[in-house]
Amino acid sequence: FAVFAGIFTEVVRTTLEEAKDLLVNLDVSADIDTSSEHYIEAENALEEQDYVSALANADAAMANARVIQVQIIEEILSETDVENQRGEGMGTDMESSLEMTSKAREELATGNLEEAQTLAINARRESRSLQQVFSSQLLQASKAAVAAVPFHVELDDIQELLTSATNNLEEGEFEATVDAAKQARELLDDRLEGEVGSYIVKAEEDIEKGKEVGIDLTGPKEHLKDAKTHLEELRYLEGQEAARKCSDQVADLIDKHEQAQGALADLMELIERATRARAKLSESMDMQEAAEDAMDEHDYDRVMELAALAVEDANRSYEARVKEAISDAESTLNTLCLLYTSPSPRDS
């Protein structure tokens, strides 16, 4: 009998310890008191050598612990559901946590409580970890974007948001971290977009000026198109540079256009003057025609080259004609002088 008494006592006390350990491991020590009656009854029954009652109370204590275990697992899974939903709302990829949560429920449904408990705890931990990594990466990306701002924009309020996001991250407030980081990035993007947009507006205005002048806008339009593409893809510095290139090229082309127009006007004036002087201008006029063709093709360098050659040739022809006219005039004057100074036939 003593042997059986020892065996029963060991079984009862082992069962009671397992029930206690189960609740302690679940970190619900307060709930141990709900089973205190079974523990007391089991111990009293052992003292009275009522092993049947002791086993019954020990089993009841374990059963109660299992009920509590199921409740705790369900609470953990409910908490994890909330965390997963929060993470997805933030934009986090919660796939690994969702899979763990699903497996934990499967194990719980089959009564494999230890595995269900482990999976549930790991799923909750994974959910928080995913949110932490995502919010941290988002915050760092926003900080990097601010640090890489290529031109001056107002940043004080943006820096305040990033400071708030950093504090929230340290406190484990991941959703608040993401909200502040996103708000900071949106403000930054709006300001950079506005800055680049102002350059694009100016470039568009310059294009209109170019149309009025009549220059070839193929190149500037390509730069303007690039600027808009860069802006859409959030490449602000590239967008600003492309818009600026558009404006600079339009200004340069207008300047060359006006210089070429001025050179042609000067050439036409010279040719008109030389024509009145009856200078030989066939070559000059050929070059003038070629220069006008080049002007139509917006080849301003060629216009300037041809106009310069034509002016040189026209000046040469004009000067030659003037010299010829002076020579003719001198010859005529000499002839007149001879006529007036020669003796009259009557005087001889």
Side-chain angles (χ1 to χ4, degrees):
F1 179 79
V3 174
F4 284 109
I7 293 174
F8 279 119
T9 300
E10 181 68 21
V11 170
V12 169
R13 287 186 172 155
T14 299
T15 302
L16 290 175
E17 286 301 316
E18 288 178 353
K20 288 180 181 179
D21 290 343
L22 179 61
L23 295 177
V24 170
N25 290 338
L26 286 170
D27 194 24
V28 286
S29 55
D31 289 328
I32 293 177
D33 292 338
T34 63
S35 300
S36 60
E37 181 180 347
H38 295 298
Y39 293 119
I40 294 172
E41 290 295 332
E43 289 294 343
N44 290 338
L46 284 176
E47 289 179 5
E48 297 173 1
Q49 297 184 347
D50 186 353
Y51 299 114
V52 174
S53 177
L55 282 172
N57 278 286
D59 288 341
M62 176 58 77
N64 188 59
R66 290 297 185 188
V67 169
I68 295 172
Q69 183 181 23
V70 170
Q71 291 173 347
I72 294 300
I73 292 172
E74 289 175 342
E75 288 175 7
I76 293 173
L77 290 175
S78 295
E79 292 173 6
T80 306
D81 287 338
V82 172
E83 294 292 345
N84 286 338
Q85 289 174 4
R86 182 181 292 118
E88 289 181 324
M90 290 160 45
T92 312
D93 181 3
M94 305 299 295
E95 183 177 358
S96 58
S97 177
L98 289 169
E99 287 181 359
M100 287 184 190
T101 306
S102 178
K103 289 179 180 178
R105 284 198 165 91
E106 291 175 3
E107 296 296 337
L108 182 61
T110 60
N112 191 351
L113 301 186
E114 280 67 24
E115 184 64 19
Q117 178 180 319
T118 300
L119 285 168
I121 292 173
N122 288 341
R124 182 173 59 184
R125 186 182 298 115
E126 177 72 1
S127 179
R128 294 287 294 172
S129 176
L130 291 172
Q131 292 177 63
Q132 181 181 28
V133 170
F134 177 79
S135 57
S136 177
Q137 289 176 342
L138 186 64
L139 175 58
Q140 294 307 314
S142 296
K143 287 182 176 180
V146 169
V149 170
F151 34 76
H152 176 73
V153 293
E154 179 59 40
L155 293 174
D156 289 346
D157 53 345
I158 294 173
Q159 292 287 12
E160 289 179 5
L161 283 167
L162 292 178
T163 298
S164 175
T166 301
N167 293 336
N168 288 328
L169 181 63
E170 292 174 354
E171 295 170 4
E173 297 293 335
F174 305 130
E175 189 174 20
T177 301
V178 169
D179 288 343
K182 283 184 176 179
Q183 189 177 351
R185 184 57 186 269
E186 287 169 0
L187 279 175
L188 179 63
D189 285 340
D190 285 345
R191 286 176 191 169
L192 292 175
E193 183 176 349
E195 181 72 12
V196 177
S198 65
Y199 280 88
I200 289 177
V201 168
K202 183 180 184 303
E204 290 174 333
E205 292 172 350
D206 291 336
I207 289 284
E208 292 302 314
K209 291 178 184 177
K211 288 180 181 178
E212 294 174 4
V213 172
I215 61 174
D216 180 9
L217 293 167
T218 302
K221 284 182 177 179
E222 281 298 317
H223 289 309
L224 179 58
K225 180 181 177 182
D226 290 342
K228 291 179 177 179
T229 298
H230 289 315
L231 180 58
E232 288 174 359
E233 297 175 357
L234 307 183
R235 295 195 299 270
Y236 300 113
L237 179 59
E238 293 86 345
Q240 183 195 50
E241 290 177 347
R244 184 179 290 158
K245 282 181 181 179
C246 173
S247 294
D248 290 347
Q249 193 170 54
V250 169
D252 183 58
L253 288 171
I254 289 177
D255 183 58
K256 287 184 175 181
H257 181 88
E258 291 175 347
Q259 287 182 23
Q261 277 188 327
L264 282 176
D266 291 344
L267 174 59
M268 290 176 65
E269 182 181 349
L270 175 59
I271 287 179
E272 287 176 3
R273 189 166 63 251
T275 299
R276 289 195 296 271
R278 298 179 182 178
K280 297 178 181 180
L281 299 171
S282 58
E283 290 187 12
S284 299
M285 295 180 72
D286 287 343
M287 284 187 280
Q288 178 191 10
E289 184 177 353
E292 289 172 347
D293 290 340
M295 188 71 179
D296 292 337
E297 296 171 0
H298 309 287
D299 188 351
Y300 303 123
D301 291 338
R302 182 63 174 160
V303 172
M304 298 298 290
E305 179 186 357
L306 289 169
L309 292 173
V311 165
E312 183 180 350
D313 183 74
N315 275 325
R316 188 166 49 248
S317 298
Y318 181 62
E319 290 172 2
R321 181 68 188 103
V322 169
K323 289 179 181 179
E324 183 182 346
I326 292 173
S327 178
D328 290 344
E330 289 176 345
S331 178
T332 300
L333 286 173
N334 288 334
T335 300
L336 290 173
C337 287
L338 287 174
L339 288 174
Y340 281 111
T341 57
S342 297
S344 172
R346 297 181 199 170
D347 296 333
S348 40

